[in-house]
Amino acid sequence: KRTWPDMHFFCEAHDFLDAEKAEHYDGGAGPPGQNQLAITRVLYSFARLHPGIGYVQGMNEVVAPIYYVFKLDPVPDFSAEAEADSFWCFGALFEELRELYDLEHDEGVEGIHAAMRRLGRILQHVDKPLAQHLINQGLPPTFYALRWVALMLCQEFTLPDVLRIWDSVLAQPQRQRLSFLLFLCAAMVLRLRDFLLAHDFAENLQQLQSYPRDIDCEEVIFLAVRIREETLGSSVVAASP
């Protein structure tokens, strides 16, 4: 039920105020509740096939955009296979991002905390005054960007913006996708530069943990590309302890 609760596409039947609304709702993809159940089955099957990982909180947020795109395919034969296609695509995406979820091996040059250290180095490289200001306030990337990276920004932007951002990530060569995701996170911080430099710890933490929905994702993507160019040839994005 927590998956995109503001979208009818992901509503459960009991989320509707009356039976008449539920009866006439199809959202382009069947009766209410059908899509939530499909996502649940995808995650259950994945967890059974990966007992070492299981279900990690937030995976539903990552499956949802994949399922949404497949389910709304205008070709009925393709749309009918949305659940199976989502399972296989989520599995492929997970293999690329496995280190972000495998907490037992979250040490050294891999894992979500290693990714946070890489993000910190990127911020230091592109805007040292801002990066140092946040560190001085006690706001390292682990305080706000763990969710950003692990959920591929699914909770920070609207679904249309998430799909646009994912296009930019998945357009990168496979081995560079996580790095570009970190560039996007750095761009999100830089986009709030004036606010962050002018406010205290509590206000900055709230702003970063509840990222403003009125930020143009195209600006973030453009800035991420610029950051990538500025760090090209440097060692700031390399995995290191």
Side-chain angles (χ1 to χ4, degrees), residues 157-178:
F157 294 91
T158 63
L159 183 55
D161 284 352
V162 167
L163 297 179
R164 174 65 185 92
I165 287 169
W166 280 26
D167 274 347
S168 68
V169 173
L170 297 176
Q172 309 302 315
Q174 183 172 341
R175 294 177 62 86
Q176 298 176 23
R177 289 172 183 168
L178 177 55

Side-chain angles (χ1 to χ4, degrees), residues 14-41:
H14 58 69
D15 290 330
F16 287 84
L17 297 179
D18 54 59
E20 182 179 354
K21 288 184 179 180
E23 180 181 353
H24 293 290
Y25 169 76
D26 64 15
Q34 171 180 295
N35 298 318
Q36 284 280 9
L37 289 173
I39 291 172
T40 299
R41 288 191 294 266

Side-chain angles (χ1 to χ4, degrees), residues 33-87:
Q34 171 180 295
N35 298 318
Q36 284 280 9
L37 289 173
I39 291 172
T40 299
R41 288 191 294 266
V42 168
L43 292 168
Y44 177 78
S45 300
F46 178 87
R48 290 298 300 268
L49 289 174
H50 299 80
I53 301 294
Y55 171 77
V56 177
Q57 185 175 4
M59 282 183 173
N60 58 304
E61 303 282 353
V62 181
V63 172
I66 300 172
Y67 178 80
Y68 178 84
V69 170
F70 282 130
K71 191 62 179 177
L72 294 188
D73 193 299
V75 180
D77 287 347
F78 294 162
S79 175
E81 302 298 330
E83 186 174 328
D85 289 343
S86 298
F87 171 79

Side-chain angles (χ1 to χ4, degrees), residues 96-197:
E96 292 186 25
L97 303 176
R98 172 184 287 270
E99 66 179 82
L100 302 180
Y101 294 98
D102 192 354
L103 300 182
E104 292 185 5
H105 300 91
D106 186 19
E107 57 186 27
V109 299
E110 294 185 343
I112 185 68
H113 287 92
M116 293 300 97
R117 291 192 293 273
R118 292 168 65 189
L119 176 56
R121 292 196 298 272
I122 293 170
L123 288 171
Q124 287 280 350
H125 184 83
V126 297
D127 194 331
K128 190 169 184 177
L130 175 59
Q132 196 59 50
H133 174 73
L134 293 176
I135 292 298
N136 291 343
Q137 284 192 338
L139 278 173
T142 49
F143 273 50
Y144 55 85
L146 280 169
R147 185 183 69 196
W148 294 3
V149 174
L151 303 189
M152 294 184 67
L153 305 179
C154 283
Q155 289 190 348
E156 277 51 65
F157 294 91
T158 63
L159 183 55
D161 284 352
V162 167
L163 297 179
R164 174 65 185 92
I165 287 169
W166 280 26
D167 274 347
S168 68
V169 173
L170 297 176
Q172 309 302 315
Q174 183 172 341
R175 294 177 62 86
Q176 298 176 23
R177 289 172 183 168
L178 177 55
S179 293
F180 193 75
L181 180 58
L182 296 179
F183 293 143
L184 286 165
C185 293
M188 290 167 63
V189 177
L190 265 59
R191 185 61 180 77
L192 299 178
R193 186 180 198 277
D194 292 343
F195 180 96
L196 296 173
L197 289 174

